[in-house]
Amino acid sequence: MAGRTGDAELMADGSNGSSPIVVVRDVHKSFGDVHALAGVSLEIERGTVLGLLGPNGAGKTTLVRVLTTLLDPDEGSATVAGFDVRRERTRVRPLIGLAGQSAAVDDTLTGRENLEMVANLYHMGRATAAARAGELLARFDLLEAAERQARTYSGGMRRRLDLAASLVADPEVLFLDEPTTGLDPQARLELWTVIRELVATGTTVLLTTQYLEEADQLADEIVVIDHGRIIAQGTAADLKARSGGEHLTVRVSDLAALEQVRDVLEAEGDGPPTVDEATGTVSVAVSNGPARLAGVVRRLDEAEVAIADIGLRQPTLDEVFLSLTGHRAESEPADAPAGAV
Amino acid sequence: MVVSMEALRMEARYAPGDILQLWKRNMLAYRRQPDLLVFSTIQPVMFVLLFAYVFGGAIQTGPVEYIDFLLPGILAQSVLFGSTQTGVGLAVDVTSGMIDRYRTLPMARSAVVAGRILADTTRNVFVVGLMLGVGFLIGFRYHGTVAGAIAMPFVAVLFGQTFCWISAAIGTSVRRAETAQVASFVWLFPLVFVSSVFVPVETMPDWLSVVAENSPVTHTVNAMRGLALGTDFWEPLIKALAWMAGIMAVFVPLAVWRYRSIQ
Ligand SMILES: Nc1ncnc2c1ncn2[C@@H]1O[C@H](COP(=O)(O)OP(=O)(O)O)[C@@H](O)[C@H]1O
Ligand SMILES: [Mg+2]
């Protein structure tokens, strides 16, 4: 293990352009009986976005806390820019930014004071700190609210302020722990735009999310984690391919017919169909899609089921998760906003 | 946890400035949440008035006026109860995620706790001043030297500061602010009442007076009374200072260590 860490350090120090900037080797972390991380290894290439995708309790925050020097791993090692997060935390801290799961914003301070305080704690010098705060307020569209206490901010504004605070020292690696959890769809879209712009400037990002769509939208590489273990890794396209390619979806207007449609798709498809009663749709993975499509249409016609919509499409990451883990990417209600996933 | 030389160098270099930053932040919070300040001042003032007028007639304090006996005690009691706010404030910061942010910054590791305590101590200076003012209005008088009169509230503030470190160790060890509050009062109440704060220790049953006589609260209050009334104060003062030094020797490192190992 020590040898490997040494290698990573050498590569990073040697500023080899293609060396990973974050290296995690077999990290374990338990809280009592709970194995929050049960042997996680991954690498993040400089300038890329890694999406860490998993349901509530998967271990995402624990990994982020290990990588941001907040938590010592029980076993294994991790380096950021070649520095060990446990032994060289004073070296790691100036290089990282963290926007945690709950926006770490001081309610009684104004937006500007929040950013200036963080800048001062990076020991930037008063003038630089003030300039940096102004710059970030402008960049995150918070200038108008800059002199207001953060307690008056909306959820989206708090997240943007939190993100701004994590960028004060121009970190090389940015950790975003569920940046859009709890935001309404509009605010989420806005934050995605902000994150995309950030990535365009070359910042390396580790982003955790429960939203499959979010990982698909923002990440170059996705790591799926469940119960402290990595269960899949690849690009969004890779992961989709792994869940059996195309999906055949049927939507009915009469919910009473859902059972019948399910039976038909079970017979024609390659696996168990998923039924979504809310939208009245049933879908199943199929190979040789066009032929199956014709078969399904014929059978449903014979059964006199009225079809509202039918088609072939790529699987969603939700279906990928289901095929990888055998359970849906469900989140505990306490933590998930309505309509999540 | 690995303590490197580099971390220690950073501590020495950045601690004063970082503590000041956190002090500023907490003072702003006090200024902008007047309810916090009102609550932390009304309660002690109420105690002065209630005890002076309700118990004043019933409690015999020999040749000394009860208000002269009471005020030093009630100052100590107020800074002690006030010290619970250190732990509550830190626990709130843990819950809100602020502590996570601080701990990822390249700042002095003692600054968050020390900055909080410096702000709470500043508040204590204000509270003690206010209580002295109210005390004067209802008849409290100094009977000792000028130096003693100045030193008396100073000892109270120093004493409060000491207990803030215990409170900080609790606040960084619990998960919720409410827990920090309750966990502090559980030991503070007996500590304050089994002492010479409100009544002379001699009036207690023997077994209890033994405990009370050796309490840091009793030593501190007796020292403050000595300073205010112009009677003996050296012996209780030295014992009080020894207690404070002992408490800090244990709880300063403990609080900082707890802060650093928050999970
Ligand atoms: N400080 C802690 N004490 C005890 N258990 C914890 C702590 N932090 C996390 N856990 C547990 O570890 C597991 C992983 O948690 P976490 O990393 O927060 O998951 P996620 O961020 O993916 O929702 C969960 O079962 C959680 O309850
Ligand atoms: Mg989490």
Side-chain angles (χ1 to χ4, degrees), chain A residues 29 31 65 68 70 72 91 93 98 102 104 106 108-109 113 117 120 122-123 149 151 162 165-166, chain B residues 1 6 14 18 21-22 25 28-29 32-33 96-98 100-107 262-263:
Chain A
K29 180 72 196 181
F31 300 101
R65 291 170 61 80
T68 51
L70 293 173
D72 283 343
R91 302 267 170 152
R93 284 177 183 164
L98 167 67
S102 51
D106 195 316
T108 51
L109 299 187
E113 286 165 348
M117 179 180 72
N120 283 323
Y122 273 108
H123 315 114
Q149 287 180 46
R151 72 168 81 236
D162 189 41
S166 69
Chain B
M1 290 292 157
E6 185 170 345
Y14 293 127
D18 290 353
Q21 280 296 323
L22 269 295
R25 172 232 173 183
L28 277 174
R32 289 180 188 164
Q33 293 173 285
S96 74
M98 272 318 281
D100 274 0
R101 157 128 310 133
Y102 293 137
R103 287 176 66 223
T104 57
L105 297 178
M107 57 185 282
I262 289 169
Q263 302 212 319

Side-chain angles (χ1 to χ4, degrees), chain A residues 250-252 254 257-258 260-261 264 297 299-308:
Chain A
V250 176
R251 187 161 63 83
V252 291
D254 177 12
L258 275 179
Q260 269 177 298
V261 176
V264 169
V297 171
R299 281 194 186 216
L300 289 177
D301 199 35
E302 279 164 13
E304 298 188 340
V305 173
I307 302 171

Side-chain angles (χ1 to χ4, degrees), chain A residues 54-266:
Chain A
N56 209 359
K60 303 183 296 294
T61 299
T62 306
L63 183 61
V64 167
R65 291 170 61 80
V66 166
L67 289 176
T68 51
T69 76
L70 293 173
L71 205 57
D72 283 343
D74 296 337
E75 278 174 56
S77 68
T79 59
V80 172
F83 298 116
D84 188 279
V85 294
R86 186 191 347 219
R87 285 180 289 110
E88 300 170 295
R89 50 178 76 191
T90 52
R91 302 267 170 152
V92 171
R93 284 177 183 164
L95 303 176
I96 58 170
L98 167 67
Q101 199 167 340
S102 51
V105 163
D106 195 316
D107 273 333
T108 51
L109 299 187
T110 66
R112 189 185 298 281
E113 286 165 348
N114 262 290
L115 295 183
E116 283 181 355
M117 179 180 72
V118 172
N120 283 323
L121 292 172
Y122 273 108
H123 315 114
M124 281 188 172
R126 196 172 293 216
T128 322
R132 187 73 183 134
E135 221 173 281
L136 286 164
L137 287 166
R139 175 157 158 209
F140 289 96
D141 199 19
L142 289 168
L143 266 185
E144 260 174 57
E147 321 306 334
R148 256 166 48 201
Q149 287 180 46
R151 72 168 81 236
T152 66
Y153 284 19
S154 71
M157 290 164 77
R158 289 174 65 86
R159 290 290 181 152
R160 294 209 300 275
L161 183 60
D162 189 41
L163 196 55
S166 69
L167 289 173
V168 159
D170 239 330
E172 291 195 29
V173 186
L174 182 63
F175 296 89
L176 302 176
D177 195 7
E178 301 199 19
T180 65
T181 298
L183 292 188
D184 59 58
Q186 176 64 32
R188 181 180 306 165
L189 285 178
E190 281 171 20
L191 206 70
W192 282 1
T193 310
V194 168
I195 294 171
R196 277 204 198 90
E197 284 168 8
L198 223 129
V199 174
T201 65
T203 311
T204 308
V205 177
L206 189 154
L207 165 107
T208 83
T209 182
Q210 298 186 36
Y211 307 130
L212 305 143
E213 193 193 352
E214 188 160 276
D216 197 1
Q217 288 276 334
L218 299 175
D220 301 306
E221 168 107 2
I222 297 174
V223 167
V224 185
I225 180 173
D226 192 34
H227 294 112
R229 285 198 171 76
I230 290 177
I231 55 169
Q233 188 159 7
T235 63
D238 290 343
L239 292 178
K240 285 174 180 177
R242 286 183 60 170
S243 88
E246 283 176 313
H247 272 63
L248 195 161
T249 305
V250 176
R251 187 161 63 83
V252 291
S253 29
D254 177 12
L255 290 185
L258 275 179
E259 249 333 271
Q260 269 177 298
V261 176
R262 208 199 79 88
D263 292 344
V264 169
L265 292 196
E266 181 146 38

